[in-house]
Coordinates of all heavy atoms in Angstrom, one line a residue:
N1 N -10.9 11.7 6.4 CA -11.8 10.7 6.9 C -11.2 9.5 7.2 O -10.2 9.0 6.6 CB -12.8 10.5 5.6 CG -13.7 11.7 5.3 OD1 -13.9 12.5 6.2 ND2 -14.1 11.8 4.1
H2 N -11.8 8.7 8.2 CA -11.3 7.5 8.6 C -12.4 6.4 8.5 O -13.5 6.7 8.4 CB -10.8 7.5 10.1 CG -9.7 8.5 10.3 ND1 -8.4 8.2 9.9 CD2 -9.7 9.9 10.7 CE1 -7.6 9.2 10.1 NE2 -8.4 10.2 10.7
I3 N -11.9 5.1 8.4 CA -12.8 4.0 8.2 C -13.5 3.7 9.5 O -12.9 3.6 10.6 CB -12.0 2.8 7.8 CG1 -11.3 3.1 6.5 CG2 -12.9 1.6 7.7 CD1 -10.3 1.9 6.0
K4 N -14.8 3.5 9.5 CA -15.6 3.1 10.6 C -15.2 1.7 11.0 O -14.8 0.9 10.2 CB -17.1 3.2 10.3 CG -17.6 4.6 10.2 CD -19.1 4.6 10.1 CE -19.7 4.4 11.5 NZ -21.1 4.6 11.5
K5 N -15.3 1.4 12.3 CA -15.0 0.1 12.8 C -15.8 -1.0 12.2 O -15.2 -2.1 11.9 CB -15.1 0.1 14.3 CG -14.0 0.8 15.0 CD -14.1 0.8 16.5 CE -13.1 1.8 17.2 NZ -13.3 2.0 18.5
D6 N -17.1 -0.8 11.9 CA -17.9 -1.8 11.3 C -17.3 -2.2 9.9 O -17.4 -3.3 9.5 CB -19.3 -1.5 11.3 CG -19.7 -0.3 10.4 OD1 -18.9 0.6 10.3 OD2 -20.8 -0.3 9.8
I7 N -16.7 -1.2 9.2 CA -16.1 -1.5 7.9 C -14.9 -2.3 8.1 O -14.6 -3.3 7.3 CB -15.8 -0.2 7.2 CG1 -17.1 0.6 6.8 CG2 -15.0 -0.5 5.8 CD1 -17.9 -0.1 5.8
L8 N -14.1 -2.0 9.1 CA -12.9 -2.7 9.5 C -13.2 -4.2 9.8 O -12.6 -5.1 9.4 CB -12.1 -2.1 10.6 CG -11.4 -0.8 10.2 CD1 -10.7 -0.1 11.4 CD2 -10.4 -0.9 9.1
F9 N -14.3 -4.4 10.6 CA -14.6 -5.8 11.0 C -15.1 -6.5 9.7 O -14.8 -7.7 9.6 CB -15.7 -5.8 12.0 CG -15.3 -5.4 13.4 CD1 -16.0 -4.3 14.1 CD2 -14.3 -6.0 14.0 CE1 -15.5 -3.9 15.3 CE2 -13.9 -5.7 15.3 CZ -14.4 -4.6 16.0
S10 N -15.8 -5.9 8.8 CA -16.3 -6.5 7.6 C -15.1 -6.9 6.7 O -15.1 -7.9 6.0 CB -17.3 -5.6 6.9 OG -18.5 -5.5 7.6
L11 N -14.1 -6.0 6.7 CA -12.9 -6.2 5.9 C -12.2 -7.5 6.6 O -11.8 -8.4 5.7 CB -12.0 -5.1 6.0 CG -10.6 -5.2 5.2 CD1 -10.9 -5.3 3.7 CD2 -9.7 -4.0 5.4
I12 N -12.1 -7.6 7.8 CA -11.5 -8.7 8.4 C -12.2 -10.0 8.2 O -11.6 -11.1 7.8 CB -11.3 -8.6 10.0 CG1 -10.3 -7.5 10.2 CG2 -11.0 -9.7 10.7 CD1 -10.3 -6.8 11.6
D13 N -13.5 -10.0 8.2 CA -14.2 -11.3 8.0 C -14.6 -11.6 6.6 O -15.2 -12.5 6.3 CB -15.5 -11.3 8.9 CG -16.6 -10.5 8.6 OD1 -16.6 -10.0 7.3 OD2 -17.5 -10.1 9.3
G14 N -14.2 -10.7 5.7 CA -14.3 -10.9 4.2 C -15.7 -10.7 3.7 O -16.1 -11.2 2.6
S15 N -16.6 -9.8 4.3 CA -17.9 -9.7 3.9 C -18.1 -8.4 3.2 O -19.2 -8.0 2.9 CB -18.9 -9.7 5.1 OG -18.6 -8.7 6.1
L16 N -17.1 -7.5 2.8 CA -17.2 -6.4 2.1 C -17.5 -6.7 0.6 O -16.9 -7.7 0.1 CB -16.0 -5.4 2.2 CG -15.8 -4.6 3.5 CD1 -14.5 -3.9 3.4 CD2 -17.0 -3.9 3.8
T17 N -18.2 -5.8 -0.1 CA -18.3 -5.9 -1.6 C -16.9 -5.6 -2.1 O -16.0 -5.0 -1.4 CB -19.3 -4.9 -2.0 OG1 -18.8 -3.6 -1.8 CG2 -20.6 -5.1 -1.5
E18 N -16.6 -6.1 -3.3 CA -15.4 -5.9 -3.9 C -14.9 -4.4 -4.0 O -13.8 -4.0 -3.8 CB -15.4 -6.5 -5.4 CG -14.0 -6.5 -6.0 CD -14.1 -7.3 -7.4 OE1 -14.8 -8.2 -7.5 OE2 -13.3 -6.8 -8.3
D19 N -15.9 -3.5 -4.4 CA -15.6 -2.1 -4.4 C -15.3 -1.5 -3.0 O -14.2 -0.8 -3.0 CB -16.8 -1.3 -5.0 CG -17.2 -1.6 -6.4 OD1 -16.1 -2.1 -7.1 OD2 -18.2 -1.2 -6.9
L20 N -16.0 -1.9 -2.0 CA -15.6 -1.4 -0.6 C -14.4 -1.9 -0.2 O -13.5 -1.3 0.5 CB -16.8 -1.7 0.3 CG -18.0 -0.7 0.3 CD1 -19.0 -1.2 1.3 CD2 -17.5 0.7 0.6
H21 N -14.1 -3.3 -0.5 CA -12.8 -3.9 -0.1 C -11.6 -3.2 -0.7 O -10.6 -2.8 0.0 CB -12.8 -5.4 -0.6 CG -11.7 -6.1 -0.1 ND1 -10.5 -6.2 -0.7 CD2 -11.5 -6.9 1.1 CE1 -9.6 -6.9 0.0 NE2 -10.3 -7.4 1.0
K22 N -11.7 -2.8 -1.9 CA -10.7 -2.1 -2.7 C -10.4 -0.7 -2.1 O -9.3 -0.2 -1.8 CB -10.9 -2.0 -4.2 CG -10.0 -1.1 -4.9 CD -8.7 -1.8 -5.2 CE -7.8 -0.9 -6.2 NZ -6.7 -0.4 -5.7
E23 N -11.5 0.0 -1.8 CA -11.5 1.3 -1.3 C -10.8 1.3 0.2 O -10.1 2.1 0.5 CB -12.9 1.9 -1.2 CG -13.0 3.3 -0.8 CD -14.3 3.9 -0.8 OE1 -15.3 3.4 -1.5 OE2 -14.5 5.0 -0.3
A24 N -11.2 0.3 1.0 CA -10.7 0.2 2.3 C -9.3 -0.1 2.2 O -8.4 0.5 3.0 CB -11.4 -0.9 3.2
E25 N -8.7 -1.0 1.4 CA -7.4 -1.3 1.3 C -6.5 -0.1 0.8 O -5.5 0.1 1.3 CB -7.2 -2.5 0.4 CG -7.4 -3.9 1.0 CD -7.1 -5.0 0.1 OE1 -7.0 -4.8 -1.1 OE2 -6.9 -6.1 0.7
D26 N -7.1 0.7 -0.1 CA -6.5 1.9 -0.5 C -6.3 2.8 0.6 O -5.2 3.5 0.7 CB -7.2 2.5 -1.8 CG -7.1 1.7 -3.0 OD1 -6.3 0.8 -3.1 OD2 -7.9 2.0 -3.9
H27 N -7.3 3.0 1.4 CA -7.2 3.9 2.5 C -6.2 3.4 3.6 O -5.4 4.2 4.1 CB -8.6 4.0 3.2 CG -8.7 5.0 4.3 ND1 -8.7 6.3 4.1 CD2 -8.6 4.8 5.7 CE1 -8.7 7.0 5.3 NE2 -8.6 6.1 6.2
L28 N -6.3 2.1 3.9 CA -5.3 1.6 4.8 C -3.8 1.8 4.4 O -3.0 1.9 5.2 CB -5.5 0.1 5.1 CG -6.9 -0.2 5.7 CD1 -7.1 -1.7 5.8 CD2 -6.9 0.3 7.2
A29 N -3.6 1.8 3.1 CA -2.2 2.0 2.6 C -1.7 3.5 2.8 O -0.5 3.6 2.9 CB -2.2 1.6 1.0
T30 N -2.7 4.3 3.1 CA -2.2 5.8 3.2 C -2.5 6.4 4.6 O -2.1 7.5 4.9 CB -2.9 6.6 2.1 OG1 -4.2 6.7 2.4 CG2 -2.4 6.1 0.8
C31 N -3.2 5.6 5.5 CA -3.7 6.3 6.8 C -3.1 5.4 7.9 O -3.6 4.2 8.1 CB -5.2 6.3 6.8 SG -5.8 7.0 8.4
D32 N -2.2 5.9 8.6 CA -1.6 5.2 9.7 C -2.5 4.9 10.8 O -2.5 3.8 11.5 CB -0.3 6.0 10.3 CG 0.8 6.0 9.4 OD1 0.9 5.2 8.4 OD2 1.7 7.0 9.5
R33 N -3.4 5.8 11.2 CA -4.4 5.5 12.2 C -5.4 4.4 12.0 O -5.5 3.5 12.8 CB -5.3 6.8 12.5 CG -4.6 7.9 13.1 CD -5.6 8.9 13.4 NE -4.9 10.2 13.6 CZ -5.5 11.4 13.5 NH1 -6.7 11.6 13.2 NH2 -4.7 12.5 13.7
C34 N -5.8 4.3 10.8 CA -6.8 3.3 10.4 C -6.0 2.0 10.2 O -6.5 0.9 10.7 CB -7.5 3.5 9.1 SG -8.8 4.9 9.3
F35 N -4.8 2.0 9.7 CA -4.0 0.8 9.6 C -3.7 0.1 10.9 O -3.7 -1.0 11.1 CB -2.7 1.0 8.7 CG -1.9 -0.3 8.6 CD1 -2.3 -1.2 7.7 CD2 -0.8 -0.5 9.4 CE1 -1.6 -2.4 7.5 CE2 -0.1 -1.7 9.4 CZ -0.5 -2.6 8.4
T36 N -3.2 1.1 11.9 CA -2.9 0.6 13.2 C -4.1 -0.1 13.9 O -3.9 -1.1 14.5 CB -2.4 1.7 14.1 OG1 -1.3 2.4 13.4 CG2 -2.1 1.3 15.5
L37 N -5.3 0.5 13.7 CA -6.5 -0.1 14.3 C -6.8 -1.4 13.7 O -7.1 -2.4 14.2 CB -7.6 0.9 14.2 CG -9.0 0.5 14.8 CD1 -8.9 0.1 16.3 CD2 -10.0 1.5 14.7
Y38 N -6.8 -1.4 12.3 CA -7.1 -2.5 11.5 C -6.1 -3.8 12.0 O -6.6 -4.8 12.2 CB -6.9 -2.3 10.1 CG -7.0 -3.6 9.2 CD1 -8.2 -4.2 8.9 CD2 -5.7 -4.1 8.7 CE1 -8.2 -5.4 8.2 CE2 -5.8 -5.2 8.0 CZ -7.0 -5.9 7.6 OH -6.9 -7.1 6.9
A39 N -4.9 -3.4 12.1 CA -3.8 -4.4 12.4 C -4.1 -5.0 13.8 O -4.1 -6.3 13.9 CB -2.4 -3.9 12.4
S40 N -4.5 -4.2 14.8 CA -4.8 -4.6 16.1 C -6.0 -5.5 16.1 O -6.0 -6.6 16.7 CB -5.0 -3.4 17.0 OG -5.4 -3.8 18.3
L41 N -7.1 -5.1 15.4 CA -8.3 -5.9 15.3 C -8.1 -7.3 14.6 O -8.6 -8.2 15.1 CB -9.4 -5.1 14.6 CG -9.9 -3.8 15.3 CD1 -10.8 -3.1 14.4 CD2 -10.6 -4.1 16.6
K42 N -7.3 -7.2 13.6 CA -7.0 -8.4 12.7 C -6.2 -9.4 13.7 O -6.5 -10.6 13.7 CB -6.3 -8.1 11.5 CG -5.8 -9.3 10.6 CD -7.0 -9.8 9.8 CE -6.4 -10.9 9.0 NZ -7.5 -11.4 8.2
S43 N -5.3 -8.8 14.4 CA -4.4 -9.7 15.3 C -5.3 -10.4 16.3 O -5.2 -11.5 16.6 CB -3.4 -8.9 15.9 OG -2.7 -9.6 16.9
S44 N -6.2 -9.6 16.9 CA -7.1 -10.1 18.0 C -8.0 -11.2 17.4 O -8.2 -12.2 18.0 CB -8.0 -9.0 18.5 OG -7.3 -8.0 19.1
N45 N -8.5 -10.9 16.2 CA -9.4 -11.9 15.5 C -8.6 -13.2 15.3 O -9.2 -14.3 15.6 CB -9.8 -11.4 14.2 CG -10.8 -12.2 13.4 OD1 -10.4 -13.2 12.8 ND2 -12.1 -12.0 13.5
I46 N -7.4 -13.2 14.9 CA -6.5 -14.5 14.6 C -6.4 -15.1 16.0 O -6.6 -16.3 16.0 CB -5.3 -14.0 13.9 CG1 -5.5 -13.6 12.5 CG2 -4.3 -15.3 14.0 CD1 -4.4 -12.9 11.8
E47 N -6.0 -14.4 17.0 CA -5.7 -15.0 18.3 C -7.0 -15.6 18.9 O -6.9 -16.8 19.4 CB -5.2 -13.9 19.3 CG -3.8 -13.4 18.9 CD -3.3 -12.5 19.9 OE1 -3.4 -12.6 21.2 OE2 -2.7 -11.4 19.5
I48 N -8.1 -15.0 18.7 CA -9.4 -15.6 19.2 C -9.8 -16.9 18.4 O -10.1 -17.9 19.0 CB -10.5 -14.6 19.2 CG1 -10.3 -13.5 20.3 CG2 -11.9 -15.2 19.4 CD1 -11.2 -12.3 20.1
K49 N -9.5 -16.8 17.1 CA -9.8 -18.1 16.3 C -8.9 -19.1 16.8 O -9.4 -20.3 16.8 CB -9.6 -17.7 14.9 CG -10.8 -17.0 14.3 CD -10.6 -16.7 12.8 CE -11.8 -16.0 12.3 NZ -11.7 -15.8 10.8
K50 N -7.7 -18.9 17.1 CA -6.7 -19.9 17.5 C -7.2 -20.6 18.9 O -7.2 -21.8 19.0 CB -5.3 -19.4 17.7 CG -4.6 -19.2 16.4 CD -3.2 -18.6 16.7 CE -2.4 -18.3 15.4 NZ -1.1 -17.7 15.7
L51 N -7.6 -19.7 19.8 CA -8.1 -20.2 21.0 C -9.3 -21.0 20.9 O -9.5 -22.1 21.5 CB -8.5 -19.0 22.1 CG -7.2 -18.2 22.6 CD1 -7.7 -17.0 23.4 CD2 -6.4 -19.1 23.5
I52 N -10.3 -20.7 20.0 CA -11.4 -21.5 19.8 C -11.0 -22.8 19.2 O -11.5 -23.8 19.4 CB -12.4 -20.6 18.9 CG1 -13.0 -19.5 19.6 CG2 -13.6 -21.6 18.4 CD1 -13.9 -18.5 18.8
K53 N -10.1 -22.8 18.2 CA -9.7 -24.0 17.5 C -9.0 -24.9 18.5 O -9.2 -26.2 18.4 CB -8.7 -23.6 16.4 CG -8.3 -24.8 15.6 CD -7.3 -24.4 14.5 CE -6.8 -25.6 13.8 NZ -5.9 -25.2 12.7
N54 N -8.4 -24.4 19.5 CA -7.6 -25.2 20.5 C -8.6 -25.6 21.7 O -8.2 -26.2 22.6 CB -6.4 -24.5 21.0 CG -5.4 -24.3 20.0 OD1 -5.3 -25.1 19.1 ND2 -4.6 -23.3 20.2
G55 N -9.9 -25.3 21.5 CA -10.9 -25.7 22.5 C -11.1 -24.9 23.7 O -11.8 -25.3 24.7
E56 N -10.5 -23.7 23.7 CA -10.6 -22.9 24.8 C -12.1 -22.2 24.9 O -12.6 -21.8 26.0 CB -9.7 -21.8 25.0 CG -8.3 -22.2 25.6 CD -7.4 -21.1 26.0 OE1 -8.0 -20.2 26.7 OE2 -6.2 -21.3 25.8
G57 N -12.7 -21.9 23.7 CA -13.9 -21.4 23.7 C -13.9 -19.8 24.0 O -12.8 -19.3 24.3
L58 N -15.0 -19.2 23.8 CA -15.0 -17.7 24.0 C -15.2 -17.3 25.5 O -15.0 -16.2 25.8 CB -16.2 -17.1 23.3 CG -16.0 -17.0 21.8 CD1 -17.3 -16.5 21.1 CD2 -14.8 -16.2 21.4
S59 N -15.2 -18.3 26.4 CA -15.3 -17.9 27.8 C -14.0 -18.0 28.5 O -13.9 -17.7 29.7 CB -16.3 -18.8 28.6 OG -15.9 -20.2 28.4
G60 N -12.9 -18.4 27.8 CA -11.7 -18.6 28.4 C -11.0 -17.3 28.9 O -11.3 -16.3 28.3
T61 N -10.1 -17.4 29.8 CA -9.4 -16.2 30.3 C -8.5 -15.7 29.1 O -8.1 -14.5 29.2 CB -8.6 -16.5 31.5 OG1 -7.7 -17.6 31.2 CG2 -9.5 -16.8 32.7
G62 N -8.1 -16.5 28.3 CA -7.2 -16.0 27.1 C -7.9 -15.1 26.3 O -7.3 -14.0 25.9
V63 N -9.2 -15.3 26.0 CA -10.0 -14.3 25.2 C -10.1 -13.0 25.9 O -9.9 -11.9 25.3 CB -11.3 -15.0 24.8 CG1 -12.2 -13.9 24.1 CG2 -11.1 -16.1 23.9
R64 N -10.4 -13.1 27.2 CA -10.5 -11.8 27.9 C -9.2 -11.1 28.0 O -9.2 -9.9 27.8 CB -11.0 -12.1 29.4 CG -12.5 -12.5 29.5 CD -13.1 -12.6 30.9 NE -12.5 -13.6 31.7 CZ -12.9 -14.9 31.6 NH1 -13.9 -15.1 30.8 NH2 -12.3 -15.8 32.4
A65 N -8.1 -11.8 28.1 CA -6.8 -11.1 28.2 C -6.5 -10.4 26.8 O -6.0 -9.3 26.7 CB -5.6 -12.1 28.5
I66 N -6.9 -11.1 25.7 CA -6.7 -10.5 24.4 C -7.5 -9.2 24.3 O -7.0 -8.2 23.7 CB -7.0 -11.6 23.2 CG1 -6.1 -12.7 23.3 CG2 -7.1 -10.8 21.9 CD1 -6.5 -13.8 22.4
I67 N -8.8 -9.4 24.6 CA -9.7 -8.2 24.5 C -9.2 -7.0 25.2 O -9.1 -5.9 24.7 CB -11.1 -8.6 24.8 CG1 -11.7 -9.6 23.7 CG2 -12.0 -7.3 25.0 CD1 -13.0 -10.2 24.2
I68 N -8.8 -7.3 26.5 CA -8.3 -6.3 27.3 C -7.0 -5.6 26.7 O -6.8 -4.4 26.7 CB -8.1 -6.7 28.8 CG1 -9.4 -7.0 29.4 CG2 -7.3 -5.6 29.6 CD1 -9.4 -7.8 30.8
S69 N -6.0 -6.5 26.3 CA -4.8 -6.0 25.8 C -5.0 -5.1 24.6 O -4.4 -4.1 24.4 CB -3.8 -7.1 25.5 OG -4.2 -7.9 24.5
R70 N -5.9 -5.6 23.7 CA -6.2 -4.8 22.4 C -6.9 -3.5 22.7 O -6.7 -2.6 22.1 CB -7.0 -5.6 21.5 CG -6.3 -6.8 20.9 CD -5.0 -6.5 20.2 NE -4.3 -7.7 19.9 CZ -3.0 -7.9 19.7 NH1 -2.2 -6.8 20.0 NH2 -2.5 -9.0 19.5
F71 N -7.8 -3.6 23.7 CA -8.5 -2.3 24.1 C -7.4 -1.3 24.6 O -7.4 -0.1 24.2 CB -9.5 -2.6 25.1 CG -10.1 -1.3 25.7 CD1 -11.0 -0.5 25.0 CD2 -9.8 -0.9 27.0 CE1 -11.6 0.6 25.6 CE2 -10.3 0.3 27.6 CZ -11.2 1.0 26.8
L72 N -6.6 -1.7 25.5 CA -5.5 -0.8 26.1 C -4.6 -0.3 24.9 O -4.2 0.9 25.0 CB -4.7 -1.6 27.1 CG -5.5 -1.9 28.4 CD1 -4.7 -2.7 29.4 CD2 -6.0 -0.6 29.1
F73 N -4.3 -1.2 23.9 CA -3.5 -0.8 22.9 C -4.1 0.4 22.0 O -3.5 1.3 21.8 CB -3.1 -2.0 21.9 CG -2.3 -1.5 20.7 CD1 -1.1 -1.4 20.7 CD2 -3.0 -1.3 19.6 CE1 -0.4 -1.0 19.6 CE2 -2.4 -0.9 18.4 CZ -1.0 -0.8 18.4
C74 N -5.5 0.1 21.7 CA -6.1 1.1 21.0 C -6.3 2.5 21.8 O -6.1 3.5 21.2 CB -7.5 0.6 20.6 SG -7.5 -0.7 19.3
V75 N -6.6 2.3 23.0 CA -6.6 3.6 23.8 C -5.4 4.4 23.9 O -5.4 5.6 23.8 CB -7.2 3.3 25.3 CG1 -7.0 4.5 26.2 CG2 -8.6 2.7 25.3
T76 N -4.3 3.7 24.0 CA -2.9 4.3 24.1 C -2.2 4.6 22.7 O -1.5 5.5 22.7 CB -2.0 3.5 25.0 OG1 -1.8 2.2 24.4 CG2 -2.5 3.4 26.4
H77 N -2.7 4.0 21.7 CA -1.9 4.2 20.5 C -2.8 4.7 19.3 O -2.2 5.2 18.4 CB -1.3 2.8 19.9 CG -0.2 2.4 20.8 ND1 -0.5 1.6 22.0 CD2 1.1 2.5 20.8 CE1 0.7 1.3 22.5 NE2 1.7 1.9 21.8
V78 N -4.0 4.5 19.4 CA -4.8 5.0 18.3 C -5.6 6.3 18.7 O -6.5 6.2 19.7 CB -5.8 4.0 17.8 CG1 -6.8 4.5 16.7 CG2 -5.0 2.7 17.3
P79 N -5.3 7.5 18.2 CA -6.1 8.7 18.7 C -7.5 8.5 18.3 O -7.9 7.9 17.4 CB -5.5 9.8 17.8 CG -4.2 9.2 17.3 CD -4.4 7.7 17.2
T80 N -8.3 9.1 19.3 CA -9.8 9.1 19.0 C -10.1 10.2 17.9 O -9.7 11.3 18.0 CB -10.5 9.5 20.3 OG1 -10.1 8.7 21.4 CG2 -12.1 9.4 20.2
V81 N -10.8 9.6 17.0 CA -11.2 10.5 15.8 C -12.6 10.2 15.5 O -13.1 9.1 15.7 CB -10.3 10.1 14.5 CG1 -8.8 10.6 14.9 CG2 -10.4 8.7 14.2
Q82 N -13.2 11.2 14.8 CA -14.6 11.1 14.3 C -14.4 10.2 13.0 O -13.6 10.5 12.1 CB -15.1 12.5 13.9 CG -16.5 12.3 13.2 CD -17.5 11.9 14.3 OE1 -17.5 12.2 15.4 NE2 -18.4 11.2 13.7
T83 N -15.2 9.1 13.0 CA -15.1 8.3 11.9 C -16.3 8.4 10.9 O -17.3 8.9 11.3 CB -15.0 6.8 12.3 OG1 -16.2 6.6 13.1 CG2 -13.7 6.4 13.1
H84 N -16.0 8.1 9.6 CA -17.1 8.2 8.6 C -17.2 6.9 7.9 O -16.2 6.3 7.6 CB -16.7 9.5 7.7 CG -16.4 10.8 8.4 ND1 -17.5 11.5 8.9 CD2 -15.3 11.4 8.8 CE1 -16.9 12.6 9.5 NE2 -15.7 12.5 9.4
R85 N -18.3 6.7 7.4 CA -18.5 5.6 6.5 C -17.9 5.9 5.2 O -18.0 7.0 4.7 CB -20.1 5.2 6.3 CG -20.2 4.1 5.5 CD -21.6 3.6 5.4 NE -22.0 2.8 6.7 CZ -21.7 1.6 6.9 NH1 -21.0 0.9 6.0 NH2 -22.1 1.0 8.0
M86 N -17.3 4.9 4.6 CA -16.7 5.1 3.3 C -17.6 5.3 2.2 O -18.6 4.9 2.2 CB -15.8 3.9 3.0 CG -14.6 3.7 4.1 SD -13.7 2.3 3.7 CE -13.0 2.8 2.1

C-alpha cells in the first residue's frame, strides 16, 4: 500500500492528525516510492513559497518551471502505482 497524494500534501502543510502524521512518517521511512514522491512535492512546496516570498507570485514563470520539472521528475522516477488511503 502506498500513501495517497492528498495525505502527502497534508503531511507537507502540517494538517494531518498526530496519528496519521506518525503513520505517514513510518511508511515514508520504509517505502522508497512514497518517500521519493514526498521529497519532490516538499521541495516544490518550498521553492514555490520562496518565489511568493520574493514577490514573484503564483503567476511567475518560475512557478511554472518548478511545476513542470517536478511533474517530469515524477513521471520518470516514480512508478505509477495504485494508491490507498492510510
